[in-house]
Coordinates of all heavy atoms in Angstrom, one line a residue:
M89 N 6.0 9.5 -37.7 CA 5.2 8.3 -37.9 C 5.7 7.6 -39.2 O 4.9 6.8 -39.7 CB 3.8 8.7 -38.0 CG 3.1 9.0 -36.7 SD 3.2 7.6 -35.5 CE 2.0 6.5 -36.2
S90 N 6.8 7.9 -39.7 CA 7.3 7.2 -40.8 C 8.5 6.4 -40.6 O 9.3 6.1 -41.4 CB 7.6 8.2 -42.0 OG 8.7 9.1 -41.5
T91 N 8.6 6.0 -39.3 CA 9.7 5.1 -39.0 C 9.4 3.7 -39.6 O 8.3 3.3 -40.0 CB 9.9 4.9 -37.4 OG1 8.7 4.3 -36.9 CG2 10.1 6.2 -36.7
K92 N 10.5 2.9 -39.7 CA 10.4 1.6 -40.3 C 9.4 0.8 -39.5 O 8.5 0.1 -40.1 CB 11.8 0.9 -40.2 CG 11.8 -0.4 -41.0 CD 13.1 -1.1 -40.8 CE 13.1 -2.5 -41.4 NZ 14.3 -3.3 -41.0
E93 N 9.4 0.9 -38.2 CA 8.4 0.1 -37.4 C 7.0 0.4 -37.7 O 6.2 -0.5 -37.8 CB 8.7 0.3 -35.9 CG 10.0 -0.4 -35.4 CD 11.3 0.3 -35.9 OE1 11.3 1.5 -36.2 OE2 12.4 -0.4 -36.0
S94 N 6.7 1.7 -37.7 CA 5.3 2.1 -37.9 C 4.8 1.7 -39.4 O 3.7 1.4 -39.6 CB 5.0 3.5 -37.7 OG 5.5 4.3 -38.7
I95 N 5.8 1.8 -40.3 CA 5.4 1.3 -41.6 C 5.1 -0.2 -41.7 O 4.1 -0.6 -42.3 CB 6.5 1.8 -42.7 CG1 6.4 3.3 -42.9 CG2 6.3 1.0 -44.0 CD1 7.6 3.9 -43.5
L96 N 6.1 -0.9 -41.1 CA 5.9 -2.4 -41.1 C 4.6 -2.8 -40.4 O 3.9 -3.7 -40.7 CB 7.1 -3.0 -40.5 CG 8.4 -3.0 -41.3 CD1 9.5 -3.6 -40.5 CD2 8.3 -3.6 -42.6
N97 N 4.4 -2.0 -39.3 CA 3.1 -2.2 -38.6 C 1.9 -2.0 -39.4 O 1.0 -2.8 -39.4 CB 3.2 -1.3 -37.3 CG 2.2 -1.7 -36.3 OD1 2.0 -2.9 -36.1 ND2 1.5 -0.8 -35.6
K98 N 1.9 -0.9 -40.2 CA 0.8 -0.7 -41.1 C 0.6 -1.8 -42.1 O -0.5 -2.1 -42.4 CB 1.0 0.7 -41.8 CG 0.7 1.9 -41.0 CD 0.9 3.1 -41.9 CE 0.5 4.4 -41.1 NZ 0.8 5.6 -41.9
I99 N 1.7 -2.2 -42.6 CA 1.6 -3.4 -43.6 C 1.0 -4.6 -42.9 O 0.2 -5.3 -43.5 CB 3.0 -3.6 -44.2 CG1 3.5 -2.4 -44.9 CG2 3.0 -4.9 -45.0 CD1 5.0 -2.6 -45.4
Q100 N 1.5 -4.8 -41.7 CA 1.0 -6.0 -41.0 C -0.5 -5.9 -40.7 O -1.3 -6.9 -40.9 CB 1.8 -6.1 -39.6 CG 1.3 -7.3 -38.8 CD 1.4 -8.7 -39.5 OE1 2.3 -8.9 -40.3 NE2 0.6 -9.6 -39.2
I101 N -1.0 -4.7 -40.4 CA -2.5 -4.5 -40.1 C -3.2 -4.7 -41.4 O -4.3 -5.4 -41.4 CB -2.6 -3.1 -39.6 CG1 -2.1 -2.9 -38.1 CG2 -4.2 -2.7 -39.6 CD1 -2.0 -1.5 -37.6
V102 N -2.8 -4.2 -42.5 CA -3.4 -4.4 -43.8 C -3.5 -5.9 -44.1 O -4.6 -6.4 -44.5 CB -2.7 -3.8 -45.0 CG1 -3.1 -4.3 -46.3 CG2 -3.0 -2.3 -44.9
I103 N -2.4 -6.6 -43.9 CA -2.4 -8.1 -44.2 C -3.4 -8.8 -43.2 O -4.2 -9.6 -43.7 CB -1.0 -8.6 -44.1 CG1 -0.1 -8.1 -45.3 CG2 -1.0 -10.2 -44.1 CD1 1.4 -8.5 -45.2
S104 N -3.3 -8.5 -42.0 CA -4.2 -9.3 -41.1 C -5.6 -8.9 -41.1 O -6.5 -9.7 -40.9 CB -3.6 -9.2 -39.6 OG -3.5 -7.9 -39.2
N105 N -5.9 -7.6 -41.6 CA -7.3 -7.2 -41.7 C -8.0 -7.8 -43.0 O -9.2 -7.9 -43.0 CB -7.4 -5.7 -41.7 CG -7.3 -5.1 -40.3 OD1 -7.3 -5.8 -39.4 ND2 -7.2 -3.8 -40.3
N106 N -7.2 -8.0 -44.0 CA -7.8 -8.3 -45.3 C -7.6 -9.7 -45.7 O -8.2 -10.2 -46.6 CB -7.2 -7.4 -46.4 CG -7.6 -5.9 -46.2 OD1 -8.7 -5.5 -46.4 ND2 -6.7 -5.1 -45.6
F107 N -6.6 -10.4 -45.1 CA -6.3 -11.8 -45.5 C -6.2 -12.7 -44.3 O -5.8 -12.3 -43.2 CB -5.0 -11.8 -46.3 CG -5.0 -10.7 -47.4 CD1 -4.4 -9.5 -47.2 CD2 -5.6 -11.0 -48.7 CE1 -4.4 -8.5 -48.3 CE2 -5.6 -10.1 -49.6 CZ -5.0 -8.9 -49.5
Q108 N -6.5 -14.0 -44.6 CA -6.4 -15.0 -43.6 C -4.9 -15.4 -43.3 O -4.6 -15.6 -42.2 CB -7.1 -16.2 -44.0 CG -8.6 -16.1 -44.3 CD -9.4 -15.7 -42.9 OE1 -9.0 -16.2 -41.9 NE2 -10.4 -14.8 -43.1
T109 N -4.1 -15.4 -44.3 CA -2.7 -15.8 -44.2 C -1.8 -14.9 -45.1 O -2.4 -14.2 -46.0 CB -2.6 -17.2 -44.8 OG1 -2.9 -17.2 -46.2 CG2 -3.4 -18.2 -44.0
P110 N -0.6 -14.8 -44.7 CA 0.3 -14.0 -45.6 C 0.4 -14.6 -47.0 O 0.6 -13.8 -47.9 CB 1.7 -14.2 -44.9 CG 1.5 -14.6 -43.5 CD 0.1 -15.3 -43.5
E111 N 0.1 -15.9 -47.2 CA 0.1 -16.5 -48.5 C -0.9 -15.9 -49.4 O -0.8 -15.5 -50.5 CB -0.3 -18.0 -48.4 CG 0.9 -18.9 -48.1 CD 1.0 -19.2 -46.5 OE1 0.5 -18.3 -45.8 OE2 1.6 -20.2 -46.1
E112 N -2.1 -15.6 -48.7 CA -3.2 -15.0 -49.4 C -2.9 -13.6 -49.8 O -3.2 -13.1 -50.9 CB -4.4 -15.0 -48.5 CG -5.7 -15.4 -49.1 CD -6.8 -15.4 -48.0 OE1 -7.5 -14.4 -47.8 OE2 -7.0 -16.6 -47.5
A113 N -2.3 -12.9 -48.9 CA -1.9 -11.5 -49.2 C -0.9 -11.4 -50.3 O -1.0 -10.7 -51.3 CB -1.2 -10.8 -48.0
F114 N 0.1 -12.4 -50.3 CA 1.1 -12.4 -51.3 C 0.5 -12.6 -52.7 O 0.7 -12.0 -53.7 CB 2.2 -13.5 -51.1 CG 3.3 -13.5 -52.0 CD1 4.4 -12.7 -51.8 CD2 3.2 -14.3 -53.1 CE1 5.5 -12.7 -52.7 CE2 4.3 -14.3 -54.1 CZ 5.4 -13.6 -53.8
A115 N -0.5 -13.6 -52.7 CA -1.1 -14.0 -54.0 C -1.9 -12.8 -54.5 O -2.0 -12.5 -55.7 CB -2.0 -15.2 -53.7
F116 N -2.6 -12.1 -53.6 CA -3.4 -10.9 -54.0 C -2.6 -9.9 -54.6 O -2.9 -9.3 -55.7 CB -4.1 -10.4 -52.7 CG -5.0 -9.2 -53.1 CD1 -6.3 -9.4 -53.6 CD2 -4.6 -7.8 -52.9 CE1 -7.1 -8.2 -53.9 CE2 -5.3 -6.8 -53.2 CZ -6.6 -7.0 -53.6
F117 N -1.5 -9.5 -54.0 CA -0.6 -8.4 -54.6 C 0.2 -8.8 -55.7 O 0.7 -8.0 -56.5 CB 0.2 -7.8 -53.5 CG -0.7 -7.0 -52.5 CD1 -1.0 -7.5 -51.2 CD2 -1.3 -5.8 -52.8 CE1 -1.8 -6.8 -50.3 CE2 -2.1 -5.1 -52.0 CZ -2.3 -5.6 -50.7
D118 N 0.4 -10.2 -55.9 CA 1.2 -10.6 -57.0 C 0.2 -10.6 -58.2 O -0.3 -11.7 -58.6 CB 1.7 -12.0 -56.7 CG 2.6 -12.6 -57.9 OD1 2.9 -11.8 -58.7 OD2 2.8 -13.8 -57.9
N119 N 0.0 -9.5 -58.9 CA -0.9 -9.3 -60.0 C -0.8 -10.3 -61.1 O -1.8 -10.8 -61.6 CB -0.9 -7.8 -60.4 CG -1.8 -7.0 -59.6 OD1 -2.8 -7.4 -59.2 ND2 -1.3 -5.8 -59.5
D120 N 0.4 -10.5 -61.5 CA 0.7 -11.3 -62.7 C 1.0 -12.7 -62.3 O 1.3 -13.5 -63.2 CB 1.8 -10.7 -63.6 CG 3.1 -10.5 -62.8 OD1 3.1 -10.9 -61.7 OD2 4.0 -9.9 -63.4
K121 N 0.9 -13.0 -61.1 CA 1.0 -14.4 -60.6 C 2.3 -15.1 -61.0 O 2.3 -16.3 -61.3 CB -0.2 -15.3 -61.1 CG -1.6 -14.7 -60.8 CD -1.9 -14.7 -59.3 CE -3.2 -13.9 -59.0 NZ -3.2 -13.3 -57.7
D122 N 3.3 -14.3 -61.0 CA 4.6 -14.9 -61.4 C 5.4 -15.4 -60.1 O 6.5 -15.9 -60.2 CB 5.5 -14.0 -62.2 CG 5.9 -12.8 -61.4 OD1 5.4 -12.5 -60.4 OD2 6.7 -12.0 -62.0
G123 N 4.7 -15.3 -59.0 CA 5.4 -15.7 -57.7 C 6.4 -14.8 -57.1 O 7.1 -15.1 -56.2
K124 N 6.4 -13.5 -57.7 CA 7.4 -12.6 -57.2 C 6.6 -11.2 -57.1 O 5.8 -10.9 -58.0 CB 8.6 -12.4 -58.1 CG 9.5 -13.6 -58.1 CD 10.7 -13.5 -58.9 CE 11.6 -14.7 -58.7 NZ 12.8 -14.6 -59.5
L125 N 7.1 -10.3 -56.2 CA 6.5 -9.0 -56.1 C 7.5 -8.1 -56.7 O 8.6 -7.9 -56.4 CB 6.2 -8.6 -54.7 CG 5.1 -9.5 -53.9 CD1 4.9 -8.9 -52.6 CD2 3.8 -9.5 -54.7
T126 N 7.0 -7.3 -57.7 CA 7.8 -6.3 -58.3 C 7.6 -5.0 -57.5 O 6.8 -4.9 -56.6 CB 7.3 -5.9 -59.8 OG1 6.0 -5.5 -59.7 CG2 7.5 -7.1 -60.7
K127 N 8.5 -4.1 -57.8 CA 8.3 -2.8 -57.2 C 6.9 -2.2 -57.3 O 6.4 -1.7 -56.3 CB 9.3 -1.8 -57.9 CG 10.2 -1.0 -56.9 CD 11.2 -0.2 -57.7 CE 11.6 1.0 -56.8 NZ 12.8 1.7 -57.3
R128 N 6.3 -2.3 -58.4 CA 5.0 -1.8 -58.7 C 4.0 -2.5 -57.8 O 3.1 -2.0 -57.2 CB 4.7 -2.0 -60.1 CG 3.3 -1.5 -60.5 CD 2.9 -1.9 -61.9 NE 3.7 -1.1 -62.9 CZ 3.2 0.0 -63.4 NH1 1.9 0.4 -63.2 NH2 3.8 0.7 -64.3
E129 N 4.2 -3.8 -57.6 CA 3.2 -4.6 -56.9 C 3.4 -4.3 -55.3 O 2.4 -4.3 -54.6 CB 3.4 -6.1 -57.1 CG 2.9 -6.5 -58.5 CD 3.4 -7.9 -59.0 OE1 4.3 -8.4 -58.4 OE2 2.8 -8.3 -60.0
I130 N 4.6 -4.1 -54.9 CA 4.8 -3.7 -53.6 C 4.3 -2.3 -53.2 O 3.6 -2.1 -52.2 CB 6.3 -3.8 -53.2 CG1 6.8 -5.2 -53.1 CG2 6.6 -3.1 -51.9 CD1 8.3 -5.4 -53.1
S131 N 4.4 -1.4 -54.2 CA 3.9 -0.1 -54.1 C 2.4 -0.1 -53.8 O 1.8 0.6 -53.1 CB 4.3 0.7 -55.4 OG 3.8 2.0 -55.2
E132 N 1.7 -1.0 -54.6 CA 0.3 -1.2 -54.5 C -0.1 -1.6 -53.0 O -1.0 -1.1 -52.4 CB -0.2 -2.2 -55.5 CG -1.7 -2.4 -55.6 CD -2.4 -1.1 -55.9 OE1 -1.8 -0.2 -56.6 OE2 -3.6 -0.9 -55.5
L133 N 0.7 -2.6 -52.5 CA 0.5 -3.0 -51.1 C 0.6 -1.8 -50.1 O -0.3 -1.6 -49.3 CB 1.5 -4.1 -50.7 CG 1.4 -4.9 -49.5 CD1 2.3 -6.1 -49.6 CD2 1.7 -4.2 -48.2
L134 N 1.6 -1.0 -50.4 CA 1.8 0.2 -49.5 C 0.7 1.2 -49.6 O 0.3 1.8 -48.7 CB 3.2 0.8 -49.8 CG 4.4 -0.1 -49.5 CD1 5.7 0.7 -49.9 CD2 4.4 -0.6 -48.1
R135 N 0.2 1.3 -50.8 CA -0.9 2.3 -51.1 C -2.1 1.8 -50.2 O -2.8 2.6 -49.6 CB -1.3 2.3 -52.6 CG -2.1 3.5 -52.9 CD -2.4 3.5 -54.4 NE -3.2 2.4 -54.9 CZ -4.5 2.3 -54.6 NH1 -5.2 3.3 -54.1 NH2 -5.1 1.2 -55.0
K136 N -2.4 0.5 -50.3 CA -3.5 -0.1 -49.5 C -3.3 0.1 -48.0 O -4.2 0.2 -47.2 CB -3.6 -1.5 -49.9 CG -5.0 -2.1 -49.6 CD -5.2 -3.5 -50.2 CE -6.5 -4.1 -49.7 NZ -7.7 -3.4 -50.0
A137 N -1.9 0.1 -47.6 CA -1.6 0.3 -46.2 C -1.7 1.8 -45.8 O -1.3 2.3 -44.7 CB -0.2 -0.2 -45.9
E138 N -2.2 2.7 -46.8 CA -2.3 4.1 -46.6 C -1.0 4.8 -46.3 O -1.0 5.7 -45.4 CB -3.4 4.4 -45.6 CG -4.8 4.0 -46.1 CD -5.9 4.1 -45.1 OE1 -5.6 4.5 -43.9 OE2 -7.0 3.9 -45.4
I139 N 0.1 4.3 -46.8 CA 1.3 5.0 -46.7 C 1.4 6.0 -47.8 O 1.2 5.7 -48.9 CB 2.5 4.0 -46.7 CG1 2.5 3.1 -45.5 CG2 3.8 4.7 -46.9 CD1 3.2 1.8 -45.6
S140 N 1.7 7.3 -47.4 CA 1.6 8.4 -48.3 C 2.5 8.3 -49.5 O 3.6 7.7 -49.3 CB 1.7 9.7 -47.6 OG 3.0 9.9 -47.4
G141 N 2.1 8.8 -50.6 CA 2.9 8.8 -51.9 C 4.3 9.1 -51.7 O 5.2 8.5 -52.3
L142 N 4.5 10.1 -51.0 CA 6.0 10.6 -50.8 C 6.9 9.7 -50.2 O 8.0 9.5 -50.8 CB 5.9 11.9 -49.9 CG 7.2 12.8 -49.9 CD1 7.3 13.5 -51.3 CD2 7.1 13.8 -48.8
I143 N 6.5 9.0 -49.2 CA 7.4 8.0 -48.6 C 7.3 6.6 -49.1 O 8.1 5.8 -49.0 CB 7.3 7.9 -47.1 CG1 5.9 7.7 -46.6 CG2 7.8 9.2 -46.4 CD1 5.7 7.4 -45.1
R144 N 6.1 6.5 -50.0 CA 5.9 5.1 -50.5 C 7.0 4.7 -51.4 O 7.5 3.5 -51.3 CB 4.6 5.1 -51.3 CG 4.0 3.7 -51.5 CD 2.5 3.8 -51.8 NE 2.2 4.5 -53.0 CZ 1.3 5.5 -53.0 NH1 0.6 5.8 -52.0 NH2 1.0 6.2 -54.1
G145 N 7.5 5.6 -52.3 CA 8.6 5.2 -53.2 C 9.8 4.8 -52.5 O 10.5 3.8 -52.8
L146 N 10.1 5.6 -51.4 CA 11.2 5.4 -50.6 C 11.2 4.0 -49.9 O 12.2 3.2 -49.9 CB 11.3 6.5 -49.5 CG 12.7 6.9 -49.0 CD1 13.2 7.9 -50.0 CD2 12.5 7.6 -47.6
V147 N 10.0 3.7 -49.3 CA 9.8 2.5 -48.6 C 9.9 1.3 -49.5 O 10.5 0.3 -49.2 CB 8.5 2.5 -47.8 CG1 8.2 1.1 -47.2 CG2 8.5 3.6 -46.7
T148 N 9.3 1.4 -50.7 CA 9.4 0.3 -51.7 C 10.8 0.0 -51.9 O 11.1 -1.2 -52.0 CB 8.6 0.8 -53.0 OG1 7.3 1.2 -52.7 CG2 8.5 -0.4 -53.9
T149 N 11.6 1.0 -52.3 CA 13.0 0.8 -52.5 C 13.7 0.1 -51.3 O 14.4 -0.8 -51.5 CB 13.7 2.1 -52.8 OG1 12.9 2.8 -53.9 CG2 15.1 1.9 -53.3
K150 N 13.4 0.6 -50.1 CA 14.0 0.0 -48.9 C 13.6 -1.4 -48.8 O 14.5 -2.3 -48.4 CB 13.6 0.9 -47.7 CG 14.4 2.2 -47.6 CD 15.8 1.9 -47.1 CE 16.7 3.2 -47.4 NZ 18.1 2.9 -47.6
L151 N 12.4 -1.7 -49.0 CA 11.8 -3.1 -48.8 C 12.6 -4.0 -49.8 O 13.0 -5.1 -49.4 CB 10.3 -3.2 -49.0 CG 9.5 -2.8 -47.8 CD1 8.0 -2.8 -48.2 CD2 9.8 -3.7 -46.6
I152 N 12.6 -3.6 -51.0 CA 13.3 -4.4 -52.1 C 14.8 -4.6 -51.7 O 15.3 -5.7 -51.7 CB 13.1 -3.6 -53.4 CG1 11.7 -3.6 -53.8 CG2 14.0 -4.4 -54.4 CD1 11.3 -4.2 -55.1
E153 N 15.5 -3.5 -51.2 CA 16.9 -3.6 -51.0 C 17.0 -4.5 -49.8 O 18.0 -5.3 -49.6 CB 17.4 -2.2 -50.6 CG 17.8 -1.4 -51.8 CD 18.1 0.0 -51.5 OE1 18.2 0.3 -50.2 OE2 18.5 0.7 -52.4
G154 N 16.1 -4.4 -48.8 CA 16.2 -5.2 -47.6 C 15.9 -6.6 -47.7 O 16.4 -7.4 -46.9
Y155 N 15.0 -7.0 -48.6 CA 14.5 -8.3 -48.6 C 14.9 -9.1 -49.7 O 14.7 -10.4 -49.7 CB 13.0 -8.3 -48.4 CG 12.6 -7.8 -47.0 CD1 11.9 -6.7 -46.8 CD2 13.2 -8.5 -45.8 CE1 11.5 -6.2 -45.6 CE2 12.8 -8.0 -44.6 CZ 12.0 -6.8 -44.5 OH 11.8 -6.3 -43.2
Y156 N 15.2 -8.5 -50.8 CA 15.6 -9.5 -51.9 C 17.0 -10.0 -51.7 O 17.9 -9.2 -51.3 CB 15.4 -8.8 -53.3 CG 16.5 -7.9 -53.8 CD1 17.7 -8.4 -54.4 CD2 16.3 -6.5 -53.7 CE1 18.6 -7.5 -54.9 CE2 17.3 -5.7 -54.2 CZ 18.4 -6.2 -54.8 OH 19.4 -5.3 -55.3
K157 N 17.2 -11.2 -51.8 CA 18.5 -11.8 -51.5 C 19.1 -12.5 -52.8 O 20.3 -12.7 -52.9 CB 18.4 -12.9 -50.4 CG 18.0 -12.3 -49.1 CD 17.5 -13.3 -48.1 CE 17.0 -12.7 -46.9 NZ 15.5 -12.8 -46.7
V158 N 18.3 -12.8 -53.8 CA 18.8 -13.4 -54.9 C 19.3 -12.3 -55.9 O 20.0 -12.7 -56.9 CB 17.8 -14.3 -55.6 CG1 17.7 -15.6 -54.9 CG2 16.5 -13.7 -55.7
G159 N 19.1 -11.0 -55.5 CA 19.6 -10.0 -56.4 C 18.9 -9.6 -57.6 O 19.5 -9.0 -58.5
D160 N 17.7 -10.1 -57.8 CA 16.9 -9.7 -59.0 C 16.0 -8.5 -58.8 O 15.3 -8.1 -59.7 CB 16.1 -10.9 -59.5 CG 15.2 -11.5 -58.5 OD1 15.1 -10.9 -57.3 OD2 14.5 -12.4 -58.7
G161 N 16.0 -8.0 -57.6 CA 15.2 -6.8 -57.3 C 13.7 -7.1 -57.2 O 12.9 -6.2 -57.2
L162 N 13.4 -8.4 -57.0 CA 12.1 -8.7 -56.8 C 12.0 -9.4 -55.5 O 12.9 -10.0 -55.0 CB 11.5 -9.7 -57.9 CG 11.6 -9.1 -59.3 CD1 11.4 -10.3 -60.3 CD2 10.5 -8.1 -59.5
V163 N 10.8 -9.4 -54.9 CA 10.6 -10.1 -53.6 C 9.8 -11.4 -53.9 O 8.7 -11.4 -54.4 CB 9.8 -9.2 -52.6 CG1 9.5 -10.0 -51.4 CG2 10.6 -7.9 -52.3
D164 N 10.4 -12.6 -53.7 CA 9.7 -13.8 -53.9 C 8.9 -14.2 -52.6 O 9.0 -13.6 -51.6 CB 10.5 -14.9 -54.5 CG 11.6 -15.4 -53.5 OD1 11.4 -15.2 -52.3 OD2 12.6 -16.0 -53.9
W165 N 8.3 -15.3 -52.6 CA 7.4 -15.7 -51.5 C 8.3 -15.9 -50.3 O 7.9 -15.4 -49.2 CB 6.6 -17.0 -51.9 CG 6.1 -17.7 -50.6 CD1 6.5 -18.9 -50.1 CD2 5.2 -17.1 -49.7 NE1 5.8 -19.1 -48.9 CE2 5.0 -18.0 -48.7 CE3 4.5 -15.9 -49.7 CZ2 4.2 -17.8 -47.6 CZ3 3.6 -15.7 -48.6 CH2 3.5 -16.6 -47.5
N166 N 9.4 -16.6 -50.4 CA 10.2 -16.8 -49.2 C 10.7 -15.6 -48.6 O 10.8 -15.5 -47.3 CB 11.5 -17.7 -49.5 CG 11.1 -19.2 -49.8 OD1 10.1 -19.7 -49.2 ND2 11.8 -19.8 -50.7
E167 N 11.0 -14.6 -49.4 CA 11.5 -13.3 -48.8 C 10.3 -12.5 -48.2 O 10.5 -11.9 -47.1 CB 12.1 -12.5 -49.9 CG 13.4 -13.0 -50.4 CD 13.9 -12.6 -51.8 OE1 13.0 -12.0 -52.5 OE2 15.0 -12.9 -52.2
F168 N 9.1 -12.6 -48.9 CA 8.0 -12.0 -48.3 C 7.6 -12.6 -47.0 O 7.3 -11.9 -45.9 CB 6.8 -12.2 -49.2 CG 5.5 -11.5 -48.8 CD1 5.3 -10.1 -49.1 CD2 4.5 -12.2 -48.2 CE1 4.1 -9.5 -48.7 CE2 3.3 -11.6 -47.8 CZ 3.2 -10.2 -48.0
K169 N 7.7 -13.9 -46.9 CA 7.4 -14.7 -45.7 C 8.3 -14.3 -44.6 O 7.9 -14.0 -43.4 CB 7.6 -16.2 -46.0 CG 7.2 -17.1 -44.8 CD 5.7 -17.2 -44.6 CE 5.3 -18.3 -43.6 NZ 6.0 -18.2 -42.3
S170 N 9.6 -14.2 -44.9 CA 10.5 -13.8 -43.8 C 10.4 -12.4 -43.4 O 10.5 -12.1 -42.1 CB 12.0 -14.1 -44.2 OG 12.4 -13.3 -45.3
A171 N 10.0 -11.5 -44.3 CA 9.7 -10.2 -44.0 C 8.4 -10.1 -43.0 O 8.5 -9.4 -42.1 CB 9.4 -9.3 -45.2
S172 N 7.4 -10.9 -43.4 CA 6.2 -10.8 -42.5 C 6.4 -11.5 -41.2 O 5.8 -11.1 -40.1 CB 5.0 -11.3 -43.2 OG 5.1 -12.7 -43.6
D173 N 7.3 -12.5 -41.1 CA 7.7 -13.1 -39.8 C 8.4 -12.1 -39.0 O 8.2 -12.1 -37.8 CB 8.6 -14.4 -40.1 CG 7.9 -15.5 -40.6 OD1 6.6 -15.5 -40.6 OD2 8.5 -16.5 -41.1
E174 N 9.2 -11.3 -39.6 CA 9.9 -10.3 -38.9 C 9.0 -9.3 -38.3 O 9.2 -8.8 -37.2 CB 11.0 -9.6 -39.8 CG 12.1 -8.9 -39.2 CD 13.1 -8.4 -40.2 OE1 13.7 -9.3 -40.8 OE2 13.3 -7.2 -40.2
I175 N 8.0 -8.9 -39.1 CA 7.0 -8.0 -38.6 C 6.3 -8.4 -37.4 O 6.0 -7.6 -36.5 CB 5.9 -7.6 -39.8 CG1 6.7 -6.9 -40.9 CG2 4.8 -6.9 -39.3 CD1 5.9 -6.9 -42.2
K176 N 6.0 -9.7 -37.3 CA 5.2 -10.3 -36.3 C 6.0 -10.3 -34.9 O 5.4 -10.3 -33.9 CB 4.8 -11.7 -36.6 CG 3.6 -11.8 -37.4 CD 3.2 -13.3 -37.7 CE 2.5 -13.4 -38.9 NZ 2.6 -14.7 -39.6
K177 N 7.3 -10.2 -34.9 CA 8.1 -10.2 -33.7 C 7.8 -9.1 -32.8 O 7.6 -8.0 -33.3 CB 9.6 -10.3 -34.0 CG 10.0 -11.7 -34.5 CD 11.5 -11.7 -34.8 CE 11.9 -12.9 -35.6 NZ 13.2 -12.7 -36.2
Ligands
LIG359 CA1 4.4 -10.5 -59.8

């Protein structure tokens, strides 16, 4: 149950259960409101998605690696959006 699909699915469930839009979810988890999600902020999202501590660190790293394109190690809104679009497919 720790496949990429089931994890993305859990994230999607958290977002759709708690927020009207992905924008809202992004703003919620962007604690310092700098328009980017740090590793710590993403980890918080995963905690809310009830992804266990052991794989959470791993997934956070994978998400960052998979979705940051500008190479700063942060996930900005566009990247988050394309990630959540991908989840919906
Ligand atoms: Ca932030």
Side-chain angles (χ1 to χ4, degrees):
M89 284 304 285
S90 61
T91 63
K92 189 185 173 193
E93 287 71 26
S94 76
I95 289 163
L96 291 177
N97 198 36
K98 281 182 178 176
I99 294 171
Q100 179 59 32
I101 289 166
V102 163
I103 292 174
S104 57
N105 282 353
N106 296 282
F107 306 97
Q108 300 295 323
T109 60
E111 280 91 339
E112 223 175 89
F114 185 88
F116 180 84
F117 290 106
D118 183 16
N119 274 323
D120 55 5
K121 308 294 173 206
D122 65 351
K124 292 179 176 187
L125 296 183
T126 59
K127 227 173 156 169
R128 179 186 288 264
E129 289 164 347
I130 289 171
S131 180
E132 187 59 28
L133 191 164
L134 298 179
R135 198 179 62 77
K136 206 166 166 59
E138 292 176 355
I139 291 161
S140 76
L142 195 68
I143 54 171
R144 198 159 61 228
L146 211 82
V147 172
T148 305
T149 306
K150 284 284 164 209
L151 279 176
I152 294 233
E153 281 173 358
Y155 293 120
Y156 80 84
K157 292 165 190 112
V158 284
D160 58 1
L162 300 168
V163 176
D164 68 18
W165 164 246
N166 287 328
E167 291 160 348
F168 183 83
K169 182 76 168 56
S170 62
S172 62
D173 287 346
E174 199 173 300
I175 291 168
K176 278 181 205 153
K177 281 179 197 165

